[in-house]
């Protein structure tokens, strides 16, 4: 398993390098540059040229690329932001914390809401409750995050003034006691995290429901029931173990969705995170920030997937025993979980007889 | 050598995907409604979605507002909250101020007022444009971008999927690794970077969205071809010594196409969602062209004073995406009865 994970990591690093190189040439070859954004029509050609010289934009593109690459590889120096005027590494380090806070809180909401609702829907399959949960989860899944955020602001910041409408701290929060500061942060976090978490919970509910239904068809569940175990024990102990295995994989696969969501909601809620900073940098053609942010988001996804792989190996003994069929996510590997999009056909049964027996042993 | 392409009965195949049964459902009706609204937009929309009529008086009118439309003889148009026919002319109340117009100044004067009015069922935006009309035209953009992007994604998915399934092993492995990589990348970051680089246009949105949504279809095409390859009729074609490209073009692709087409049509909901996010962020469809995403963005700064500007277009997005997702659910249920509600 470790060697598979390492091979995967190496492939991801190579991929990241290719993506960065492509991005570098794309953003530099496209018409317009930061000098256009920083200046206006009155700027003379001479000062434009000076500005470009300052940022090294006047050199031939391959030279710019090699200089950039050398700085990144040798000194891990990502340059200085053109619009923010700060070293990019420090800038992104600062904005990563709010994004992590938002993302992790949203994920907690996602699973706390998604797993129980999915299980309830599976148990009440075909009943009114199942239909309602399915409809609500599909509704959440179909809602654009930005609109959900705006509606949350409208309802819970203005109509019912429960939470602040944006930003991370109140003005003057620095002077507060640590407890009051934490509370202030929490109230600011509530709306964006709930919006993002509930939006993602829609997919989780559907995924858990379908997995649970599939697992409940397994022989070992019938065995457990035949032994006279309580239904609660059958569901939450025996079946749940095998529902959780693919959820671990879902976690890794849903990271890109999480980052997409944070970008939009950070813009809506003026949350000073990675997404909003990247968005501003893209608008301003802030090359160093765009490249570093691309690298950072890519790296986050890679690390998240690696973590999911290791976690998967920890919960599923089959993975420890042998590499997944067809190599890492490659031919024959498990597809994107069915709950995540319209694209995939019904999820191939990830929960096979082997884990089935394993689940039945413990009673 | 004359050769009749061997095909599985296409009608039976369509039936097997569950698409026809799925279409005869609420979801199917909703999607059909969307298509009708988009096609018949000029007939259905009460007003021109882009024309600004007396913006100072018409801007940010709440849903259900009716304003009298006063056409003046000099060609200009005024919208008034109240008009009273008085001897010698017309007394109008516009922007809270009373004003007198002489009878010969008004072109559409009648015995008790003016002949025309404008009724804004869902209110107006900051330029006094009718939100309902803009939403109806917005359906066109959403469906157009959705279907064209998916068509592009389908082309890419078919080409790359077929290459992976029928090409040499190393090619398969390189292509599928690439697909995994694409799937692992946060799409919005990629899309944003791409859209900001070139002058914004609807065509650019279509191309960028198409180029970032082919991966799932590619996987499906590859899987379909791989499973078809083991079927008797393909083995027969191969043993007849047909050229592999010919087998691919005349036997494999036609038979793989149906499930792929069904999946592709369901992708439209996802694409509509991304397009609206992009337009909301100001990088997708550019105003004055109405798209649901840029309409929501237009209401963002007046959320509290004019809630309807953002609310209604957002509801349209939810409804459209929900319709496509519901349809997808139906198809999935029919394909895989185990997760279905009706046993």
């Amino acid at each position: 398993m470790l060697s598979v994970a390492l091979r995967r990591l190496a492939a991801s690093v190579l991929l990241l390098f290719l993506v960065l190189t492509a991005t570098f040439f794309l953003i530099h070859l496209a018409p317009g540059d930061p000098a256009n954004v920083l200046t206006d029509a009155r700027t003379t050609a001479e000062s434009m040229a000076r500005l470009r010289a300052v940022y090294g934009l006047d050199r031939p593109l391959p030279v710019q690329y090699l200089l950039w690459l050398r700085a990144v590889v040798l000194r891990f120096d990502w340059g200085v932001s053109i619009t923010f005027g700060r070293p990019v590494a420090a800038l992104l380090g600062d904005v990563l914390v709010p994004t992590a806070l938002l993302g992790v809180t949203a994920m907690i909401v996602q699973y706390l809401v998604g797993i129980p609702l999915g299980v309830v829907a599976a148990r009440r399959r075909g009943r009114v409750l199942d239909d309602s949960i399915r409809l609500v989860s599909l509704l959440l899944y179909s809602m654009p995050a930005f609109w959900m955020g705006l509606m949350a602001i409208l309802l819970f910041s203005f109509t019912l003034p429960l939470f602040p409408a944006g930003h991370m701290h109140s003005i003057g929060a620095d002077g507060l006691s640590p407890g009051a500061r934490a509370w202030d942060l929490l109230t600011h976090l509530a709306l964006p995290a709930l919006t993002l978490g509930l939006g993602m919970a829609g997919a989780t509910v559907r995924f858990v429901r379908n997995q649970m239904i599939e697992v409940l068809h397994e022989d070992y569940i019938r065995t457990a029931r035949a032994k006279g175990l309580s239904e609660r024990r059958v569901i939450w102990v025996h079946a749940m173990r095998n529902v959780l295995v693919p959820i671990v994989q879902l976690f890794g696969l849903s990271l890109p969705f999480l980052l997409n969501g944070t970008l939009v909601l950070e813009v809506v809620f003026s949350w000073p995170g990675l997404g909003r900073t990247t968005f501003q940098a893209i608008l301003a053609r802030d090359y160093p920030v765009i490249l570093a942010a691309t690298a950072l988001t890519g790296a986050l996804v890679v690390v998240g997937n690696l973590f999911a792989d290791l976690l998967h190996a920890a919960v599923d003994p089959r993975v420890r025993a042998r590499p997944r069929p067809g190599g890492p996510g490659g031919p024959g590997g498990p597809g994107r979980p069915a709950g995540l999009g319209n694209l995939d056909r019904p999820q191939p049964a990830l929960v096979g007889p082997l884990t089935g027996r394993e689940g039945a042993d413990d009673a | 050598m004359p050769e009749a392409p061997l095909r599985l009965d296409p009608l039976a195949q369509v039936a097997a995907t569950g698409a026809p049964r799925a279409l005869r459902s609420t979801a199917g009706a909703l999607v059909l409604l969307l298509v009708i609204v988009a096609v018949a937009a000029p007939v259905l929309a009460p007003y021109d979605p882009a024309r600004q009529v007396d913006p100072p008086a018409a801007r940010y009118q709440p849903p259900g507002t009716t304003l009298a439309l006063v056409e003046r003889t000099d060609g200009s148009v005024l919208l008034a909250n109240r008009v009273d026919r008085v001897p010698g002319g017309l007394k109008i109340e516009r922007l809270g101020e009373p004003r007198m117009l002489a009878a010969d100044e008004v072109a559409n004067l009648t015995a008790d007022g003016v002949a025309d009015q404008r009724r804004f069922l869902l209110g107006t935006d900051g330029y006094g444009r009718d939100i309902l009309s803009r939403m109806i035209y917005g359906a066109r953009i959403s469906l157009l971008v959705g279907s064209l992007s998916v068509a592009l994604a389908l082309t890419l998915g078919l080409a790359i999927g077929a290459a992976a399934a029928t090409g040499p092993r190393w090619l398969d492995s390189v292509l599928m690794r690439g697909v995994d990589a694409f799937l692992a990348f946060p799409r919005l970051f990629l899309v944003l970077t791409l859209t900001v680089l070139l002058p914004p246009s609807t065509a650019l949105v279509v191309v960028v969205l198409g180029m970032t949504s082919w991966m799932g279809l590619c996987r499906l095409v590859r899987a379909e071809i791989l499973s078809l390859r083991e079927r008797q009729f393909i083995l027969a074609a191969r043993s007849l010594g047909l050229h592999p490209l010919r087998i691919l073009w005349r036997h494999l692709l036609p038979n793989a196409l149906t499930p792929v087409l069904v999946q592709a049509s369901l992708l439209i909901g996802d694409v509509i969602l991304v397009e609206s996010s992009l337009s909301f962020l100001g990088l997708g469809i550019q105003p004055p062209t109405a798209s649901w995403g840029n309409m929501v963005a237009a209401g963002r700064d007046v959320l509290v004073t004019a809630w309807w500007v953002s609310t209604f277009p957002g509801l349209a997005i939810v409804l459209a995406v929900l319709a496509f997702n519901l349809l997808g659910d139906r198809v999935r249920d029919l394909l895989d009865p185990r997760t279905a509600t009706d046993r």
Side-chain angles (χ1 to χ4, degrees):
Chain A
M1 180 57 214
L2 198 64
S3 74
V4 173
L6 283 178
R7 230 184 309 146
R8 236 185 145 176
L9 185 65
S12 302
V13 170
L14 178 71
L15 171 83
L16 207 54
F17 168 75
L18 290 177
V19 167
L20 282 177
T21 302
T23 311
F24 185 95
F25 283 99
L26 259 174
I27 57 180
H28 282 85
L29 286 174
D33 66 16
N36 293 116
V37 178
L38 287 175
T39 57
D40 57 33
R42 286 167 306 176
T43 315
T44 60
E46 195 187 329
S47 21
M48 287 281 267
R50 219 169 31 233
L51 199 58
R52 291 203 170 95
V54 168
Y55 292 109
L57 298 169
D58 54 342
R59 304 202 189 192
L61 198 50
V63 176
Q64 286 187 49
Y65 174 69
L66 289 176
L67 286 175
W68 171 80
L69 196 63
R70 193 179 68 180
V72 167
V73 173
L74 293 185
R75 288 173 275 133
F76 206 67
D77 174 7
W78 293 87
V80 174
S81 161
I82 296 171
T83 44
F84 296 92
R86 292 181 55 195
V88 175
L91 177 75
L92 291 188
D94 282 354
V95 297
L96 190 58
V97 179
T99 295
L101 185 65
L102 176 59
V104 169
T105 317
M107 251 178 340
I108 293 173
V109 173
Q110 176 195 1
Y111 290 116
L112 276 186
V113 172
I115 295 179
L117 279 185
V119 171
V120 169
R123 287 189 62 184
R124 296 269 178 279
R125 185 159 75 113
R127 311 260 186 87
V128 180
L129 191 59
D130 177 30
D131 287 343
S132 325
I133 291 176
R134 284 184 90 182
L135 189 67
V136 169
S137 62
L138 200 62
L139 204 62
L140 288 173
Y141 179 69
S142 306
M143 244 182 239
F146 59 87
W147 184 73
M148 222 172 138
L150 288 180
M151 292 300 111
I153 292 175
L154 185 60
L155 291 177
F156 302 111
S157 291
F158 292 108
T159 313
L160 289 174
L162 295 175
F163 299 104
H167 302 284
M168 210 170 144
H169 300 284
S170 303
I171 296 166
D174 291 337
L176 294 173
S177 68
R181 257 187 77 100
W183 178 250
D184 181 56
L185 178 63
L186 210 61
T187 55
H188 283 83
L189 181 63
L191 283 189
L194 280 173
T195 310
L196 185 56
L198 287 177
M200 294 189 304
T204 312
V205 170
R206 290 150 59 78
F207 185 77
V208 170
R209 175 187 177 273
N210 292 354
Q211 284 299 329
M212 182 56 94
I213 286 173
E214 205 149 302
V215 170
L216 287 180
H217 279 280
E218 299 284 336
D219 287 341
Y220 77 92
I221 293 292
R222 196 180 310 142
T223 310
R225 282 185 177 143
K227 283 197 301 189
L229 294 183
S230 71
E231 188 63 17
R232 184 180 296 170
R233 191 169 166 82
V234 171
I235 298 270
W236 289 103
V237 179
H238 290 238
M240 203 59 209
R241 283 188 65 158
N242 280 334
V243 171
L244 282 179
V245 172
I247 286 187
V248 169
Q249 281 187 307
L250 184 73
F251 160 78
L253 289 164
S254 64
L255 268 180
F257 291 79
L258 183 72
L259 286 169
N260 287 340
T262 55
L263 190 150
V264 172
L265 286 175
E266 283 174 10
V267 172
V268 169
F269 285 96
S270 311
W271 188 260
L274 176 64
R276 197 170 74 119
T277 306
T278 310
F279 179 61
Q280 288 166 345
I282 289 175
L283 289 184
R285 294 298 185 86
D286 196 336
Y287 295 154
V289 178
I290 298 176
L291 288 165
T294 306
L296 184 58
T297 45
L300 282 177
V301 173
V302 167
V303 170
N305 275 311
L306 192 71
F307 180 65
D309 278 351
L310 296 176
L311 209 60
H312 186 204
V315 293
D316 188 343
R318 284 176 304 171
V319 182
R320 276 196 304 264
R322 58 187 161 82
R324 283 193 298 196
R336 203 157 58 124
L340 273 180
N342 285 329
L343 271 177
D344 295 282
R345 324 193 78 186
Q347 173 84 340
L350 289 166
V351 183
L354 199 68
T355 33
R357 236 175 288 126
E358 198 244 345
D361 281 342
D362 76 332
Chain B
M1 181 178 63
E3 164 229 355
L6 277 157
R7 284 196 198 183
L8 313 175
D9 177 8
L11 277 181
Q13 259 195 299
V14 174
T17 60
R21 272 178 69 196
L23 281 172
R24 283 197 308 270
S25 62
T26 325
L30 274 174
V31 170
L32 191 68
L33 181 76
L34 270 175
V35 174
I36 292 175
V37 167
V39 171
V43 184
L44 290 173
Y47 305 110
D48 184 326
R51 199 169 144 228
Q52 301 176 18
V53 177
D54 194 6
R59 66 201 294 253
Y60 297 132
Q61 293 297 320
T65 307
T66 307
L67 297 178
L69 185 131
V70 182
E71 272 178 40
R72 299 171 72 185
T73 38
D74 63 3
S76 67
V77 174
L78 292 178
L79 291 175
N81 299 77
R82 229 186 111 95
V83 291
D84 288 308
R85 186 76 165 92
V86 290
L90 195 67
K91 193 177 140 201
I92 69 169
E93 193 189 309
R94 179 175 168 273
L95 294 170
E97 283 173 18
R99 186 167 160 187
M100 276 298 298
L101 293 171
D104 58 358
E105 267 187 282
V106 181
N108 61 346
L109 198 67
T110 61
D112 41 80
V114 285
D116 308 287
Q117 62 175 28
R118 287 200 137 211
R119 190 173 165 75
F120 305 111
L121 268 184
L122 300 183
T124 62
D125 66 6
Y127 296 96
R129 296 173 298 197
D130 180 39
I131 296 215
L132 177 64
S133 304
R134 291 182 67 73
M135 273 168 66
I136 291 174
Y137 274 87
R140 291 192 144 185
I141 285 292
S142 287
L143 287 190
L144 186 79
V145 171
S147 45
L148 288 181
S149 307
V150 169
L152 178 60
L154 182 66
T155 314
L156 288 169
L158 277 173
I160 299 173
T166 54
R169 264 192 82 99
W170 63 265
L171 185 67
D172 183 29
S173 132
V174 166
L175 289 177
M176 285 299 117
R177 254 346 112 73
V179 166
D180 287 340
F182 250 111
L183 278 177
F185 208 78
R187 180 176 176 187
L188 202 55
F189 285 73
L190 200 66
V191 168
L192 284 178
T193 310
L194 289 176
T195 40
V196 85
L197 297 177
L198 297 163
S201 72
T202 307
L204 178 70
V205 174
V206 168
V207 170
V208 168
L209 291 187
M211 275 172 32
T212 50
S213 34
W214 52 271
M215 293 80 76
L217 291 174
C218 171
R219 275 192 171 167
L220 182 60
V221 170
R222 176 177 169 279
E224 285 291 324
I225 291 182
L226 284 182
S227 85
L228 279 170
R229 247 188 0 181
E230 307 307 320
R231 301 281 284 267
Q232 293 277 330
F233 70 103
I234 298 297
L235 293 177
R238 215 180 294 158
S239 60
L240 281 173
L242 296 186
H243 192 272
L245 277 180
R246 183 167 192 143
I247 297 180
L248 176 68
W249 186 247
R250 301 209 61 174
H251 300 287
L252 288 173
L253 279 183
N255 286 315
L257 205 57
T258 315
V260 174
L261 279 179
V262 171
Q263 292 296 315
S265 61
L266 303 176
L267 185 62
I268 295 177
D270 276 8
V271 173
I272 291 178
L273 210 52
V274 183
E275 180 271 313
S276 69
S277 305
L278 205 56
S279 299
F280 173 77
L281 293 172
L283 295 170
I285 310 299
Q286 299 295 310
T289 304
S291 92
W292 294 333
N294 70 31
M295 290 177 74
V296 174
R300 199 184 150 191
D301 292 336
V302 290
L303 196 60
V304 183
T305 48
W307 55 270
W308 54 90
V309 183
S310 281
T311 305
F312 293 121
L315 279 176
I317 303 172
V318 177
L319 196 71
V321 178
L322 186 68
F324 279 102
N325 284 339
L326 273 174
L327 192 66
D329 254 19
R330 286 290 293 169
V331 174
R332 236 195 306 270
D333 282 355
L334 293 167
L335 280 172
D336 183 12
R338 273 190 304 175
T339 55
T341 35
D342 39 352
R343 267 166 268 195

